[in-house]
Amino acid sequence: MTLQSFLGKQFIAVIQWSEPEDGILAWQYPMQDMEIENGGQLTVRESQMAAFVNEGKIADVFGPGLHTLNTLNLPVLTDLKNWSKDFESPFKSDVYFFSTRLQIDQKWGTATPITFREKEFGAVRVRGYGIYSYRIADAKKFFLQISGTRDVYHTAELEGQLRDTIVARMTDILASSDVSFLDLAANQAALAGKVTEEMKPTFAVLGLELHQFVVESLSLPDELQKVMDQRIGVSMAGDLGRFTQFETAEALQTAAGNTGGAADAGVGLGAGVAMAQAMMANVRPAAAAADAGAEASAGPSAAAGAKFCTACGKPMPRAAKFCPECGGAQ
Protein backbone atom coordinates (compact mmCIF):
# COMPACT_ATOMS: atom_id res chain seq x y z
CA MET A 1 0.00 0.00 0.00
CA THR A 2 1.37 3.41 -0.97
CA LEU A 3 1.29 6.55 1.17
CA GLN A 4 -1.22 8.15 -1.22
CA SER A 5 -3.63 5.20 -0.98
CA PHE A 6 -3.25 5.15 2.80
CA LEU A 7 -4.03 8.84 3.11
CA GLY A 8 -6.96 8.41 0.76
CA LYS A 9 -8.63 5.90 3.05
CA GLN A 10 -11.61 6.98 5.18
CA PHE A 11 -11.19 6.84 8.94
CA ILE A 12 -14.14 6.61 11.30
CA ALA A 13 -14.06 8.99 14.25
CA VAL A 14 -17.51 8.26 15.75
CA ILE A 15 -19.39 4.98 15.72
CA GLN A 16 -23.03 4.97 16.83
CA TRP A 17 -26.44 3.56 15.95
CA SER A 18 -30.00 4.79 16.28
CA GLU A 19 -32.64 2.13 15.68
CA PRO A 20 -34.64 3.23 12.61
CA GLU A 21 -37.59 0.90 13.32
CA ASP A 22 -38.97 -1.76 15.63
CA GLY A 23 -38.00 -5.38 15.33
CA ILE A 24 -34.24 -5.06 14.73
CA LEU A 25 -32.16 -7.24 17.04
CA ALA A 26 -28.67 -6.88 15.51
CA TRP A 27 -27.09 -4.47 12.99
CA GLN A 28 -23.60 -4.34 11.48
CA TYR A 29 -21.94 -0.97 11.22
CA PRO A 30 -20.87 -0.43 7.56
CA MET A 31 -17.07 -0.73 7.50
CA GLN A 32 -16.31 -1.29 3.79
CA ASP A 33 -13.20 0.64 2.70
CA MET A 34 -13.10 2.35 6.11
CA GLU A 35 -11.05 1.87 9.24
CA ILE A 36 -11.50 3.04 12.78
CA GLU A 37 -9.46 6.06 13.78
CA ASN A 38 -7.16 5.48 16.71
CA GLY A 39 -8.83 7.33 19.59
CA GLY A 40 -12.24 7.30 17.92
CA GLN A 41 -15.47 7.40 19.91
CA LEU A 42 -17.94 4.58 20.31
CA THR A 43 -21.36 5.67 21.56
CA VAL A 44 -23.53 2.91 22.94
CA ARG A 45 -26.95 4.12 24.01
CA GLU A 46 -29.14 2.75 26.75
CA SER A 47 -30.93 -0.40 25.55
CA GLN A 48 -27.93 -1.26 23.33
CA MET A 49 -24.73 -3.28 23.34
CA ALA A 50 -21.88 -3.20 20.82
CA ALA A 51 -19.41 -5.95 19.90
CA PHE A 52 -16.08 -5.71 18.07
CA VAL A 53 -15.44 -8.75 15.87
CA ASN A 54 -12.00 -9.49 14.46
CA GLU A 55 -11.72 -12.15 11.77
CA GLY A 56 -15.03 -13.67 12.85
CA LYS A 57 -14.21 -13.74 16.58
CA ILE A 58 -15.64 -11.37 19.17
CA ALA A 59 -12.82 -9.28 20.65
CA ASP A 60 -14.86 -7.26 23.15
CA VAL A 61 -18.42 -6.27 24.08
CA PHE A 62 -19.32 -2.74 25.22
CA GLY A 63 -22.32 -1.71 27.32
CA PRO A 64 -24.07 1.70 27.35
CA GLY A 65 -21.76 4.72 27.51
CA LEU A 66 -19.12 6.69 25.57
CA HIS A 67 -16.01 4.64 24.88
CA THR A 68 -12.67 5.86 23.51
CA LEU A 69 -11.14 3.36 21.10
CA ASN A 70 -7.37 3.05 20.95
CA THR A 71 -4.76 0.37 20.55
CA LEU A 72 -4.09 0.31 24.29
CA ASN A 73 -7.54 -0.79 25.41
CA LEU A 74 -8.51 -2.63 22.22
CA PRO A 75 -5.43 -4.09 20.47
CA VAL A 76 -7.40 -5.39 17.47
CA LEU A 77 -8.09 -1.84 16.26
CA THR A 78 -6.08 -0.35 13.44
CA ASP A 79 -2.73 0.91 14.72
CA LEU A 80 -2.16 4.10 12.71
CA LYS A 81 1.33 4.50 14.21
CA ASN A 82 2.47 1.21 12.78
CA TRP A 83 3.90 2.57 9.49
CA SER A 84 6.71 0.03 9.34
CA LYS A 85 4.42 -2.37 7.42
CA ASP A 86 3.82 -0.04 4.44
CA PHE A 87 0.86 1.40 6.30
CA GLU A 88 -0.97 -1.95 6.10
CA SER A 89 -3.38 -2.31 9.01
CA PRO A 90 -2.48 -5.35 11.08
CA PHE A 91 -6.14 -6.08 11.98
CA LYS A 92 -9.54 -5.59 10.41
CA SER A 93 -12.48 -5.16 12.81
CA ASP A 94 -16.25 -5.16 12.37
CA VAL A 95 -18.67 -3.52 14.77
CA TYR A 96 -22.10 -4.97 15.57
CA PHE A 97 -24.83 -3.27 17.57
CA PHE A 98 -27.48 -5.21 19.48
CA SER A 99 -30.82 -3.93 20.74
CA THR A 100 -31.36 -4.99 24.36
CA ARG A 101 -34.76 -3.40 24.86
CA LEU A 102 -37.86 -5.54 25.35
CA GLN A 103 -39.35 -7.01 22.22
CA ILE A 104 -42.99 -6.87 23.29
CA ASP A 105 -46.25 -8.23 21.89
CA GLN A 106 -44.65 -11.29 20.33
CA LYS A 107 -47.41 -13.71 19.32
CA TRP A 108 -47.55 -17.42 19.98
CA GLY A 109 -50.29 -19.87 19.13
CA THR A 110 -50.98 -23.51 18.33
CA ALA A 111 -51.00 -24.03 14.57
CA THR A 112 -52.47 -27.48 15.27
CA PRO A 113 -54.29 -28.54 18.47
CA ILE A 114 -52.28 -29.95 21.36
CA THR A 115 -53.48 -33.46 22.26
CA PHE A 116 -53.25 -34.52 25.89
CA ARG A 117 -55.07 -36.86 28.27
CA GLU A 118 -57.69 -35.04 30.32
CA LYS A 119 -58.88 -36.86 33.44
CA GLU A 120 -62.61 -36.30 32.79
CA PHE A 121 -62.94 -36.51 28.99
CA GLY A 122 -59.96 -38.70 28.13
CA ALA A 123 -57.81 -37.65 25.16
CA VAL A 124 -58.72 -34.11 24.10
CA ARG A 125 -57.31 -31.53 21.71
CA VAL A 126 -56.70 -28.02 23.01
CA ARG A 127 -55.89 -24.82 21.17
CA GLY A 128 -54.21 -21.86 22.81
CA TYR A 129 -52.69 -18.50 22.03
CA GLY A 130 -51.10 -15.54 23.79
CA ILE A 131 -48.17 -13.14 23.83
CA TYR A 132 -44.66 -13.01 25.26
CA SER A 133 -41.75 -10.58 25.46
CA TYR A 134 -37.98 -11.04 25.55
CA ARG A 135 -34.70 -9.17 25.22
CA ILE A 136 -31.09 -9.85 24.29
CA ALA A 137 -29.21 -10.51 27.53
CA ASP A 138 -25.90 -11.84 26.21
CA ALA A 139 -24.72 -10.22 22.97
CA LYS A 140 -21.84 -12.65 22.52
CA LYS A 141 -24.07 -15.71 22.76
CA PHE A 142 -26.65 -14.16 20.47
CA PHE A 143 -23.96 -13.37 17.88
CA LEU A 144 -22.47 -16.87 18.05
CA GLN A 145 -25.77 -18.77 18.13
CA ILE A 146 -28.19 -16.66 16.10
CA SER A 147 -27.25 -13.52 14.16
CA GLY A 148 -23.63 -14.23 13.12
CA THR A 149 -22.18 -11.92 10.47
CA ARG A 150 -25.54 -10.87 9.04
CA ASP A 151 -25.87 -7.19 8.14
CA VAL A 152 -29.16 -7.01 10.03
CA TYR A 153 -31.22 -9.49 12.00
CA HIS A 154 -34.97 -9.01 12.72
CA THR A 155 -37.33 -10.48 15.31
CA ALA A 156 -39.45 -11.99 12.52
CA GLU A 157 -36.58 -14.31 11.60
CA LEU A 158 -36.56 -15.72 15.14
CA GLU A 159 -40.32 -15.85 15.65
CA GLY A 160 -40.96 -19.32 14.21
CA GLN A 161 -38.19 -20.95 16.24
CA LEU A 162 -39.36 -19.43 19.52
CA ARG A 163 -43.05 -20.11 18.87
CA ASP A 164 -42.54 -23.79 18.00
CA THR A 165 -40.30 -24.25 21.04
CA ILE A 166 -42.94 -22.70 23.31
CA VAL A 167 -45.71 -24.94 21.93
CA ALA A 168 -43.52 -28.05 22.30
CA ARG A 169 -42.76 -27.21 25.92
CA MET A 170 -46.44 -26.48 26.65
CA THR A 171 -47.35 -29.89 25.20
CA ASP A 172 -44.97 -31.54 27.66
CA ILE A 173 -46.44 -29.57 30.56
CA LEU A 174 -50.04 -30.44 29.66
CA ALA A 175 -49.18 -34.12 29.18
CA SER A 176 -47.88 -34.34 32.74
CA SER A 177 -50.37 -31.99 34.41
CA ASP A 178 -53.12 -34.56 35.28
CA VAL A 179 -55.72 -31.81 35.75
CA SER A 180 -59.13 -31.24 34.20
CA PHE A 181 -59.62 -28.71 31.45
CA LEU A 182 -61.84 -26.57 33.68
CA ASP A 183 -59.12 -26.41 36.32
CA LEU A 184 -56.55 -25.70 33.63
CA ALA A 185 -58.58 -22.89 32.07
CA ALA A 186 -59.20 -21.38 35.50
CA ASN A 187 -55.48 -21.28 36.25
CA GLN A 188 -54.03 -19.83 33.06
CA ALA A 189 -51.71 -17.58 35.06
CA ALA A 190 -50.23 -20.61 36.84
CA LEU A 191 -49.79 -22.37 33.50
CA ALA A 192 -48.04 -19.30 32.09
CA GLY A 193 -45.72 -19.23 35.10
CA LYS A 194 -44.86 -22.89 34.58
CA VAL A 195 -44.09 -22.33 30.90
CA THR A 196 -41.94 -19.30 31.77
CA GLU A 197 -39.95 -21.34 34.27
CA GLU A 198 -39.42 -24.14 31.74
CA MET A 199 -38.53 -21.83 28.84
CA LYS A 200 -36.03 -19.48 30.48
CA PRO A 201 -33.06 -21.89 30.17
CA THR A 202 -33.89 -22.44 26.49
CA PHE A 203 -33.91 -18.69 25.85
CA ALA A 204 -30.68 -18.24 27.81
CA VAL A 205 -28.83 -20.67 25.52
CA LEU A 206 -29.59 -18.27 22.65
CA GLY A 207 -28.42 -15.23 24.62
CA LEU A 208 -32.01 -14.15 25.30
CA GLU A 209 -34.03 -13.47 28.44
CA LEU A 210 -37.72 -14.43 28.51
CA HIS A 211 -39.30 -11.50 30.32
CA GLN A 212 -43.03 -12.29 30.26
CA PHE A 213 -45.26 -15.07 28.97
CA VAL A 214 -49.06 -14.77 28.86
CA VAL A 215 -51.71 -17.41 28.08
CA GLU A 216 -54.66 -15.45 26.72
CA SER A 217 -56.99 -18.32 25.85
CA LEU A 218 -57.37 -22.10 25.94
CA SER A 219 -60.22 -23.68 23.98
CA LEU A 220 -61.62 -27.12 23.16
CA PRO A 221 -62.96 -28.34 19.79
CA ASP A 222 -66.57 -27.29 19.14
CA GLU A 223 -68.07 -30.75 19.62
CA LEU A 224 -66.39 -31.24 22.99
CA GLN A 225 -67.26 -27.70 24.03
CA LYS A 226 -70.95 -28.53 23.47
CA VAL A 227 -70.68 -31.57 25.75
CA MET A 228 -69.04 -29.42 28.42
CA ASP A 229 -71.78 -26.80 28.08
CA GLN A 230 -74.39 -29.52 28.67
CA ARG A 231 -72.59 -30.72 31.77
CA ILE A 232 -72.47 -27.18 33.08
CA GLY A 233 -76.19 -26.86 32.34
CA VAL A 234 -76.98 -30.03 34.32
CA SER A 235 -74.87 -28.84 37.22
CA MET A 236 -76.64 -25.49 37.25
CA ALA A 237 -80.11 -27.08 36.97
CA GLY A 238 -79.53 -29.60 39.74
CA ASP A 239 -81.98 -32.27 38.51
CA LEU A 240 -83.38 -33.76 35.32
CA GLY A 241 -86.53 -31.66 35.35
CA ARG A 242 -84.63 -28.43 35.51
CA PHE A 243 -82.20 -29.68 32.87
CA THR A 244 -85.19 -30.31 30.57
CA GLN A 245 -86.29 -26.72 31.14
CA PHE A 246 -82.73 -25.59 30.46
CA GLU A 247 -82.63 -27.43 27.12
CA THR A 248 -86.09 -26.12 26.20
CA ALA A 249 -85.03 -22.56 26.96
CA GLU A 250 -81.97 -23.06 24.76
CA ALA A 251 -84.22 -24.31 21.94
CA LEU A 252 -86.53 -21.31 22.32
CA GLN A 253 -83.59 -18.94 22.21
CA THR A 254 -82.37 -20.58 19.00
CA ALA A 255 -85.84 -20.46 17.46
CA ALA A 256 -86.19 -16.79 18.39
CA GLY A 257 -83.03 -16.01 16.50
CA ASN A 258 -84.31 -17.74 13.34
CA THR A 259 -87.05 -15.64 11.75
CA GLY A 260 -87.00 -17.23 8.33
CA GLY A 261 -90.61 -18.27 7.65
CA ALA A 262 -92.99 -21.15 8.27
CA ALA A 263 -90.26 -23.68 8.97
CA ASP A 264 -88.86 -21.52 11.72
CA ALA A 265 -92.34 -20.97 13.09
CA GLY A 266 -92.70 -24.74 13.30
CA VAL A 267 -89.45 -24.95 15.22
CA GLY A 268 -90.67 -22.30 17.62
CA LEU A 269 -94.02 -24.06 18.05
CA GLY A 270 -92.29 -27.37 18.68
CA ALA A 271 -90.05 -25.76 21.26
CA GLY A 272 -93.10 -24.20 22.92
CA VAL A 273 -94.87 -27.55 23.09
CA ALA A 274 -91.72 -29.13 24.54
CA MET A 275 -91.55 -26.46 27.23
CA ALA A 276 -95.24 -26.92 28.04
CA GLN A 277 -94.76 -30.66 28.36
CA ALA A 278 -91.75 -30.16 30.59
CA MET A 279 -93.66 -27.73 32.80
CA MET A 280 -96.72 -30.02 32.98
CA ALA A 281 -94.49 -32.92 33.92
CA ASN A 282 -93.41 -30.91 36.93
CA VAL A 283 -96.93 -29.69 37.71
CA ARG A 284 -98.70 -33.12 37.57
CA PRO A 285 -97.06 -34.58 40.69
CA ALA A 286 -98.01 -31.51 42.70
CA ALA A 287 -101.61 -31.58 41.43
CA ALA A 288 -101.97 -35.28 42.20
CA ALA A 289 -100.68 -34.67 45.71
CA ALA A 290 -103.22 -31.87 46.21
CA ASP A 291 -106.13 -34.06 45.05
CA ALA A 292 -105.07 -36.83 47.41
CA GLY A 293 -104.99 -34.40 50.30
CA ALA A 294 -108.49 -33.13 49.53
CA GLU A 295 -109.92 -36.61 49.43
CA ALA A 296 -108.28 -37.51 52.72
CA SER A 297 -109.74 -34.46 54.46
CA ALA A 298 -113.25 -35.23 53.19
CA GLY A 299 -113.37 -38.50 55.14
CA PRO A 300 -113.78 -42.17 54.27
CA SER A 301 -117.25 -41.82 52.77
CA ALA A 302 -116.09 -39.17 50.33
CA ALA A 303 -113.10 -41.26 49.36
CA ALA A 304 -115.47 -44.19 48.68
CA GLY A 305 -117.69 -42.17 46.28
CA ALA A 306 -120.41 -40.64 48.60
CA LYS A 307 -123.13 -38.13 47.56
CA PHE A 308 -124.93 -35.42 49.56
CA CYS A 309 -128.59 -35.19 50.68
CA THR A 310 -130.59 -32.67 48.68
CA ALA A 311 -132.57 -31.72 51.78
CA CYS A 312 -130.08 -31.51 54.67
CA GLY A 313 -126.76 -31.61 52.76
CA LYS A 314 -125.34 -34.48 54.83
CA PRO A 315 -123.18 -37.11 53.08
CA MET A 316 -124.92 -40.36 52.28
CA PRO A 317 -124.24 -43.56 50.32
CA ARG A 318 -124.56 -43.04 46.58
CA ALA A 319 -126.93 -46.03 46.19
CA ALA A 320 -129.35 -44.94 49.03
CA LYS A 321 -132.89 -43.79 48.06
CA PHE A 322 -133.57 -42.02 51.39
CA CYS A 323 -131.25 -39.84 53.55
CA PRO A 324 -130.30 -41.65 56.76
CA GLU A 325 -130.18 -38.31 58.61
CA CYS A 326 -133.46 -36.62 57.68
CA GLY A 327 -135.27 -39.38 55.81
CA GLY A 328 -135.76 -37.23 52.75
CA ALA A 329 -136.35 -39.03 49.43
CA GLN A 330 -133.57 -38.70 46.98
Side-chain angles (χ1 to χ4, degrees), residues 26 34 73 104 198:
M34 294 188 294
N73 59 25
I104 62 173
E198 294 284 338

Side-chain angles (χ1 to χ4, degrees), residues 12-250:
I12 303 172
V14 177
I15 301 176
Q16 59 182 347
W17 177 49
S18 296
E19 296 181 51
E21 59 185 1
D22 291 335
I24 299 178
L25 293 174
W27 177 76
Q28 182 183 21
Y29 190 90
M31 300 290 291
Q32 186 175 2
D33 298 326
M34 294 188 294
E35 293 185 2
I36 302 170
E37 178 180 312
N38 191 21
Q41 302 293 316
L42 171 66
T43 301
V44 182
R45 294 179 171 84
E46 293 286 352
S47 76
Q48 292 180 354
M49 283 191 288
F52 275 78
V53 178
N54 176 62
E55 297 179 355
K57 296 182 179 180
I58 292 185
D60 205 351
V61 176
F62 295 87
L66 179 63
H67 307 276
T68 300
L69 308 175
N70 54 59
T71 56
L72 295 178
N73 59 25
L74 196 61
V76 298
L77 293 180
T78 303
D79 185 359
L80 300 182
K81 296 180 180 179
N82 191 358
W83 288 11
S84 62
K85 299 182 180 180
D86 291 331
F87 313 109
E88 186 68 36
S89 302
F91 297 101
K92 295 288 293 183
S93 297
D94 296 313
V95 181
Y96 292 86
F97 283 89
F98 301 88
S99 174
T100 59
R101 66 186 178 88
L102 280 178
Q103 304 298 325
I104 62 173
D105 199 28
Q106 303 298 306
K107 312 291 186 182
W108 71 269
T110 53
T112 57
I114 298 175
T115 302
F116 76 104
R117 187 172 299 279
E118 204 261 2
K119 68 179 184 180
E120 291 187 14
F121 295 100
V124 298
R125 293 174 296 136
V126 175
R127 290 186 179 274
Y129 65 86
I131 59 174
Y132 65 100
S133 61
Y134 67 93
R135 61 158 56 96
I136 294 178
D138 189 324
K140 184 175 182 179
K141 280 186 179 179
F142 186 79
F143 175 83
L144 295 176
Q145 300 291 335
I146 303 296
S147 61
T149 57
R150 299 274 296 275
D151 292 339
V152 62
Y153 196 92
H154 293 86
T155 56
E157 300 174 78
L158 193 57
E159 179 181 0
Q161 170 73 18
L162 297 180
R163 181 185 63 246
D164 292 347
T165 304
I166 288 171
V167 173
R169 191 57 54 88
M170 180 173 287
T171 302
D172 294 339
I173 293 173
L174 291 179
S176 60
S177 62
D178 192 30
V179 297
S180 68
F181 175 79
L182 288 177
D183 294 336
L184 194 66
N187 292 276
Q188 291 181 180
L191 175 61
K194 181 66 175 178
V195 175
T196 301
E197 179 184 348
E198 294 284 338
M199 287 300 301
K200 279 190 173 183
T202 303
F203 274 65
V205 170
L206 305 177
L208 304 174
E209 176 193 0
L210 178 59
H211 181 261
Q212 186 181 36
F213 182 84
V214 177
V215 178
E216 293 186 42
S217 175
L218 292 174
S219 61
L220 295 173
D222 292 341
E223 60 274 13
L224 189 54
Q225 188 64 52
K226 290 179 181 178
V227 174
M228 181 169 290
D229 290 342
Q230 288 180 342
R231 284 195 177 187
I232 295 174
V234 172
S235 176
M236 292 175 62
D239 57 38
L240 185 59
R242 291 185 179 180
F243 177 60
T244 302
Q245 295 180 13
F246 167 78
E247 284 193 322
T248 305
E250 289 289 313

Side-chain angles (χ1 to χ4, degrees), residues 1-9 83 85-88:
M1 178 182 293
T2 64
L3 177 61
Q4 182 177 1
S5 62
F6 176 81
L7 295 177
K9 293 175 67 174
W83 288 11
K85 299 182 180 180
D86 291 331
F87 313 109
E88 186 68 36

